[in-house]
């Protein structure tokens, strides 16, 4: 049987080039080789202050966007259509170490953001988020998890939970999943290349792959670089622009510009122009595909509800076995 691949993305906004080059591009290519499941994780998107109407809109928008970049409908599910994720999340709360969860850097970053918000509110959900993530992965007994570098810690926690569970029930029930990285697992913000490109950090810190062309060019044009003074190491801003060229597979331009950098002849405006042209090329393809796909939204919604119901059967099978192993009661279904 072919190996299983699982990954997810939060419906908190558009797919940005960090999501795409760090993970989603890989999701698409892995579909030819493996048994893939990809989730739009709306339960996760409730962990920060949010608007219910917007959550529903963002969820479907993300579904359309993922289909437009090449994710197959039969591999795609919406997390809240498979409530067993939350059930396994609760069970896993009892196998996850409080101290380890407390140490997750994403929780530290996001709780800081939340506490600076209007209400200064930090939810238990935000703290518990990585345990639900472990459930997302292990409920399908996934062998591989294609994600960006920022998810490394969550993957390690997932393995710890799986190990503790296996030890406690005295059976190697859960497979320990492996993280799959792309060549560019961490794309930085063009507005502040010392931090990762991210939706939650605010508009200027991410570039949507469906962005309006003018906005995309403007964001690349104003990318932070450096003063141009020779330094022993390439600045993070320049390195990020080179990374974007490489990730978009414009290797000829990448190598030419790198040669110019090495010889001291690099013109920053020229490099930015090439990066912008390259990304706009991709962006146009995505926008066109999305237009075609969204011509019949109703059909897509039905398709995704059906694929979620199909994928749910696998989650239900796991939950049934897990409940038996943990001494919980099962209803026959
Ligand atoms: P999310 O929604 O923040 O991001 C989706 C995917 O994009 C990757 N990514 C990046 N890669 C490179 N550079 C960046 N700047 C960048 N920003 C984001 C992320 O690593 C991720 O692969 N916790 C997850 C969602 C999740 C999940 C899961 C992932 C929930 N359950 C189970 C895998 C398996 C998250 O917030 O991703």
């Amino acid at each position: 049987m072919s190996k299983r691949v699982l990954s997810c993305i939060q419906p908190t906004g558009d797919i940005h080039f960090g999501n795409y080059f760090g993970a989603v591009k890989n999701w698409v290519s892995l579909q030819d080789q493996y048994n893939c499941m990809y989730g739009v994780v709306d339960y996760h998107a409730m962990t920060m202050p949010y608007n219910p109407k917007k959550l529903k809109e963002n969820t479907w928008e993300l579904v359309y966007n993922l289909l437009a970049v090449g994710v197959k409908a039969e591999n795609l599910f919406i997390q809240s259509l498979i409530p067993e994720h939350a059930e396994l999340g609760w069970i896993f709360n009892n196998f996850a170490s409080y101290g380890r969860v407390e140490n997750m850097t994403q929780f530290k970053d996001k709780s800081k953001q939340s506490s600076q918000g209007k209400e200064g509110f930090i939810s238990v959900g935000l703290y518990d988020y990585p345990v639900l993530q472990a459930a997302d992965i292990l409920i399908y007994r996934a062998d591989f998890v294609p994600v960006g570098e920022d998810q490394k810690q969550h993957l390690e926690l997932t393995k710890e939970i799986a190990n503790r569970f296996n030890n406690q029930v005295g059976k190697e029930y859960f497979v320990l999943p492996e993280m799959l990285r792309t060549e560019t697992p961490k794309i930085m913000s063009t507005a502040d290349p010392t931090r990762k490109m991210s939706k939650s950090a605010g508009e200027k810190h991410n570039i949507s792959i469906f962005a309006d062309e003018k906005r995309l060019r403007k964001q690349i044009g104003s990318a932070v670089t450096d003063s141009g003074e020779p330094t022993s190491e390439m600045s993070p801003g320049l390195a990020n622009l080179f990374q974007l060229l490489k990730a978009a597979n414009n290797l000829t331009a990448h190598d030419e510009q790198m040669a110019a950098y090495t010889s001291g002849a690099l013109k920053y405006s020229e490099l930015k122009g090439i990066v912008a042209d390259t990304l706009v090329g991709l962006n146009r393809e995505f926008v066109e595909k999305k237009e075609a796909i969204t011509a019949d939204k109703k059909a897509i919604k039905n398709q995704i509800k059906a694929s979620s119901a199909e994928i749910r059967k696998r989650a239900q099978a796991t939950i049934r076995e897990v409940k038996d192993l943990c001494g919980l009661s099962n209803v026959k279904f």
Side-chain angles (χ1 to χ4, degrees), residues 17 20-22 25 182-184 187 209 240-254 274-283 285-286:
F17 280 102
Y20 184 69
F21 291 137
K25 190 178 171 199
T182 64
E183 253 189 86
T184 52
I187 301 287
I209 61 171
N240 197 36
L241 291 173
F242 276 107
Q243 247 213 140
L244 285 167
L245 269 187
K246 192 171 189 183
N249 222 13
N250 193 347
L251 302 180
T252 316
H254 176 275
I274 293 172
V275 173
D277 288 344
T278 306
L279 298 186
V280 164
L282 266 179
N283 163 268
E285 238 178 79
F286 296 147

Side-chain angles (χ1 to χ4, degrees), residues 2-7 20 23-39 63 66-77 144 146 180 304 307 311:
S2 78
K3 299 256 187 196
R4 282 177 296 253
V5 170
L6 177 287
S7 199
Y20 184 69
V24 175
K25 190 178 171 199
N26 221 4
W27 295 11
V28 175
S29 53
L30 289 164
Q31 294 178 122
D32 301 331
Q33 227 180 321
Y34 298 110
N35 181 354
C36 296
M37 285 153 282
Y38 299 125
V63 164
L66 288 168
L67 295 174
V69 304
V71 173
K72 293 182 188 161
E74 68 262 31
N75 295 339
L76 199 53
F77 68 86
F144 301 119
L180 288 186
I304 298 302
S307 60
I311 292 173

Side-chain angles (χ1 to χ4, degrees), residues 6-12 27 38-47 55 59 62 66 77-80 85 129 132-133 136:
L6 177 287
S7 199
C8 303
I9 182 167
Q10 287 196 65
T12 42
W27 295 11
Y38 299 125
V40 172
V41 286
D42 47 357
Y43 283 139
H44 285 273
M46 300 170 75
T47 55
L55 175 59
T59 298
L62 187 51
L66 288 168
F77 68 86
I78 294 179
Q79 188 188 30
S80 61
H85 284 237
Y129 176 115
L132 180 58
Q133 179 161 349
D136 300 334

Side-chain angles (χ1 to χ4, degrees), residues 24-250:
V24 175
K25 190 178 171 199
N26 221 4
W27 295 11
V28 175
S29 53
L30 289 164
Q31 294 178 122
D32 301 331
Q33 227 180 321
Y34 298 110
N35 181 354
C36 296
M37 285 153 282
Y38 299 125
V40 172
V41 286
D42 47 357
Y43 283 139
H44 285 273
M46 300 170 75
T47 55
M48 297 278 276
Y50 78 103
N51 171 322
K53 192 163 166 259
K54 195 94 192 113
L55 175 59
K56 186 69 112 355
E57 278 169 23
N58 284 346
T59 298
W60 285 111
E61 203 56 30
L62 187 51
V63 164
Y64 307 139
N65 290 351
L66 288 168
L67 295 174
V69 304
V71 173
K72 293 182 188 161
E74 68 262 31
N75 295 339
L76 199 53
F77 68 86
I78 294 179
Q79 188 188 30
S80 61
L81 292 176
I82 310 183
E84 287 74 16
H85 284 237
E87 187 173 359
L88 187 60
W90 174 257
I91 293 173
F92 281 169
N93 276 332
N94 307 292
F95 295 86
S97 146
Y98 179 83
R100 290 284 292 146
V101 177
E102 204 176 25
N103 263 329
M104 296 290 116
T105 50
Q106 188 166 306
F107 172 68
K108 289 184 183 160
D109 292 349
K110 291 201 171 177
S111 57
K112 214 186 280 164
Q113 268 174 47
S114 261
S115 63
Q116 285 160 355
K118 261 193 290 191
E119 296 167 40
F121 174 74
I122 300 168
S123 71
V124 174
L126 185 64
Y127 169 80
D128 203 28
Y129 176 115
V131 179
L132 180 58
Q133 179 161 349
D136 300 334
I137 298 168
L138 296 175
I139 204 161
Y140 301 109
R141 326 267 286 275
D143 299 284
F144 301 119
V145 186
V147 281
E149 193 62 36
D150 59 345
Q151 298 302 315
K152 186 168 174 239
Q153 229 190 1
H154 290 166
L155 255 287
E156 279 163 9
L157 181 77
T158 300
K159 287 191 204 174
E160 281 172 28
I161 292 174
N163 254 328
R164 179 171 284 268
F165 182 95
N166 289 349
N167 286 339
Q168 191 150 331
V169 304
K171 187 176 174 183
E172 290 301 302
Y173 180 71
F174 284 117
V175 184
L176 300 194
E178 256 177 66
M179 176 169 170
L180 288 186
R181 292 177 181 80
T182 64
E183 253 189 86
T184 52
K186 192 169 187 186
I187 301 287
M188 309 310 279
S189 154
T190 50
D192 177 358
T194 61
R195 62 197 288 182
K196 69 171 182 177
M197 184 174 282
S198 130
K199 291 176 268 195
S200 58
E203 258 187 39
K204 65 176 182 178
H205 294 293
N206 73 79
I207 308 177
S208 163
I209 61 171
F210 293 94
D212 163 73
E213 179 176 336
K214 234 167 104 189
R215 183 175 147 79
L216 202 166
R217 288 191 185 279
K218 200 167 155 215
Q219 278 185 281
I220 296 295
S222 59
V224 170
T225 45
D226 54 66
S227 64
E229 295 295 316
T231 45
S232 58
E233 236 179 73
M234 188 184 276
S235 67
L238 271 191
N240 197 36
L241 291 173
F242 276 107
Q243 247 213 140
L244 285 167
L245 269 187
K246 192 171 189 183
N249 222 13
N250 193 347

